[in-house]
Amino acid sequence: MINGELKVARPIRWAMVGGGRASQIGYIHRSAALRDNVFKLVAGAFDIDPERGRDFGLRLQVEAERCYGDYQAMFDAEAKRPDGIQAVSIATPNGTHFAICKAALHAGLHVVCEKPLCFTLAEAQELRALAEAKGRIVGVTYGYAGHQLIRQARAMIANGDLGEIRIINMQFAHGFHSEAVEGANPSTQWRVDPRFAGPSYVLGDVGTHPLYLSEVMLPALKIKRLLCSRQSFVKSRAPLEDNAFVMMEYEGGAVGTLWASAVNAGSMHGQKIRVIGSKASLEWWDEHPNQLIYEVQGKPAQVLERGMDYLYPDALEDDRIGAGHPEGLFEAWSNLYYRFALAMEAMDKGDAALAGTLGIPDIEAGCEGVRWVENCVRSADLGATWVDYA
Ligand code: NAD
């Protein structure tokens, strides 16, 4: 149970790049990082507009001299301070992640980076090599991976409760961009422009989320080949897709599908994962995150509730309040952030082994997301053909 007791020796001195006043995702980074006092926000380059960023930083109670106009100026100045930053979160549009992450690692900082980590697998591997060489953590914010019922699903699958795994059915299919809303919304505008979003829209923007949940639940699963078909229903978005279907074959005989969409009209989020085994199935839906549906063939369906003592110990460790009260995205992110902090502290002590046991979406998760998108785009652009997973 999490009760607010400090989990690290002292809060990690932390900064943000991006996540400015009007950003979609900046607040949840701060909320999650600061919630359990494992990080302390001491600096930032919060905005592409330096003045707006400085003004916002002051309103976040960051000292004036530590509200920077750009990230490189921040890394240079902070490196000269005895109380300089130790970690940075990157919450900027996709096209900037690689350069900022690289610069942060060169500055010797631990990093939490938004997904997708970068545009190409070659870039991701470069970041991985750099993180290894520098002994730094790179965490990636697949937020719901921090939810306790995802850990429960992982434990149940490992325990054989589902039998042999046959099918994984995933989706993240919302309807918010069923029309060309990007004209009036800067946060959507860059998402449909390959210069800023990279080689894909919905595959990278939403598809990688349930993909990572499948990696958490089924760590041994390896994709053998896949087929992706992608469409731009709002024509101006081409070549980027606003809808995609992916079929996957895994080593060992299991199969999977993933539907990523921003044009599923009427759907709120529609992020779901259903894992089907030879004896039973599990289903989790982010719009009802506190319930995990467990269906054993031939028996009435069961609804497993977060916080109940019939869950595996792993799924109870991060509870913040008893069962019945909802915990959701904000708590899941906080769970990730406190684990990021523990991993960073462990690395600082040279304990890479401990850092590796914390179950965080790390540089490997970042690389895998980029790799999957790259393979999907290759298949789609070959006319939706099966491609061996490269
Ligand atoms: P946004 O456009 O709403 O906000 C981007 C912010 O970054 C703005 O404040 C902007 O001023 C700032 N910025 C841009 N370039 C900058 C630079 N070079 N230096 C400093 N600040 C800069 O975007 P968003 O929706 O918040 O998305 C940001 C990132 O977060 C994207 O990579 C996106 O994929 C990711 N995201 C992740 C999740 C998740 O669940 N993990 C959810 C939403 C967005």
Side-chain angles (χ1 to χ4, degrees):
M1 192 93 177
I2 294 173
N3 55 15
E5 279 177 274
L6 200 57
K7 284 183 176 285
V8 288
R10 64 185 63 83
I12 293 169
R13 297 184 300 276
W14 174 66
M16 284 194 78
V17 181
R21 183 173 280 136
S23 71
Q24 281 190 16
I25 207 67
Y27 175 70
I28 198 168
H29 278 274
R30 289 184 289 277
S31 165
L34 304 178
R35 188 172 200 156
D36 299 310
N37 291 315
V38 285
F39 292 94
K40 185 170 179 352
L41 182 66
V42 294
F46 296 102
D47 203 295
I48 187 74
D49 178 320
E51 274 322 301
R52 207 168 47 195
R54 282 198 189 91
D55 182 58
F56 184 59
L58 291 175
R59 302 282 294 172
L60 294 175
Q61 302 185 53
V62 175
E63 284 173 31
E65 65 177 20
R66 300 179 86 175
C67 295
Y68 296 93
D70 69 82
Y71 67 86
Q72 195 58 61
M74 174 165 79
F75 297 158
D76 292 346
E78 288 290 318
K80 295 183 186 125
R81 295 179 66 109
D83 61 349
I85 54 172
Q86 300 164 288
V88 65
S89 290
I90 302 168
T92 53
N94 303 354
T96 62
H97 294 174
F98 176 67
I100 302 174
C101 193
K102 193 170 162 179
L105 289 169
H106 274 299
L109 299 171
H110 295 294
V111 179
V112 174
C113 187
E114 265 305 343
K115 41 56 49 178
L117 181 62
C118 48
F119 285 177
T120 66
L121 184 58
E123 287 173 348
Q125 286 167 340
E126 188 181 332
L127 293 176
R128 178 169 59 194
L130 188 56
E132 265 169 28
K134 296 278 184 181
R136 301 292 84 181
I137 294 292
V138 176
V140 182
T141 35
Y142 291 118
Y144 266 124
H147 196 278
Q148 299 90 309
L149 287 184
I150 304 303
R151 296 173 81 89
Q152 170 68 12
R154 178 187 172 107
M156 289 177 75
I157 293 166
N159 197 47
D161 297 355
L162 274 58
E164 186 190 325
I165 301 305
R166 294 174 170 167
I167 303 166
I168 302 105
N169 187 211
M170 293 161 272
Q171 66 171 68
F172 194 154
H174 66 78
F176 287 99
H177 303 160
S178 295
E179 293 180 2
V181 294
E182 49 268 35
N185 183 339
S187 291
T188 311
Q189 220 160 52
W190 66 257
R191 282 176 158 79
V192 295
D193 183 336
R195 286 174 300 164
F196 307 108
S200 87
Y201 168 31
V202 291
L203 287 160
D205 199 52
V206 291
T208 51
H209 279 288
L211 180 81
Y212 184 65
L213 295 183
S214 74
E215 291 168 19
V216 174
M217 291 181 185
L218 297 141
L221 209 61
K222 298 278 171 269
I223 301 171
K224 199 171 66 179
R225 58 180 200 147
L226 62 70
L227 179 154
C228 173
S229 167
R230 62 174 182 162
Q231 300 76 35
S232 317
F233 282 107
V234 174
K235 296 296 171 216
S236 54
R237 292 173 182 160
L240 297 192
E241 77 292 342
D242 51 23
N243 188 79
F245 295 103
V246 186
M247 289 201 288
M248 285 163 281
E249 290 178 358
Y250 300 97
E251 283 169 17
V255 293
T257 59
L258 195 152
W259 175 28
S261 187
V263 294
N264 181 17
S267 163
M268 292 305 291
H269 246 205
Q271 182 180 190
K272 293 181 181 175
I273 177 164
R274 182 174 175 85
V275 182
I276 302 166
S278 52
K279 298 194 293 199
S281 302
L282 277 179
E283 188 164 321
W284 180 87
W285 178 14
D286 72 350
E287 293 173 33
H288 298 274
N290 292 279
Q291 287 79 35
L292 182 65
I293 311 300
Y294 178 40
E295 295 166 320
V296 180
Q297 178 55 33
K299 297 201 175 149
Q302 295 178 53
V303 180
L304 307 183
E305 294 277 350
R306 185 204 60 78
M308 295 299 289
D309 58 13
Y310 50 67
L311 301 178
Y312 285 100
D314 241 22
L316 297 170
E317 209 178 310
D318 286 350
D319 281 336
R320 291 160 188 273
I321 194 163
H325 300 283
E327 290 195 19
L329 188 67
F330 277 74
E331 288 74 23
W333 273 67
S334 303
N335 297 341
L336 284 191
Y337 257 98
Y338 96 72
R339 288 173 182 274
F340 288 149
L342 290 180
M344 291 172 189
E345 188 181 66
M347 286 305 275
D348 287 347
K349 290 180 181 157
D351 194 349
L354 174 63
T357 62
L358 291 163
I360 52 171
D362 57 10
I363 188 77
E364 292 305 328
C367 288
E368 196 49 39
V370 173
R371 181 182 181 201
W372 181 79
V373 171
E374 202 167 82
N375 277 272
C376 288
V377 169
R378 185 161 58 92
S379 162
D381 292 354
L382 285 168
T385 55
W386 285 99
V387 294
D388 289 334
Y389 203 58

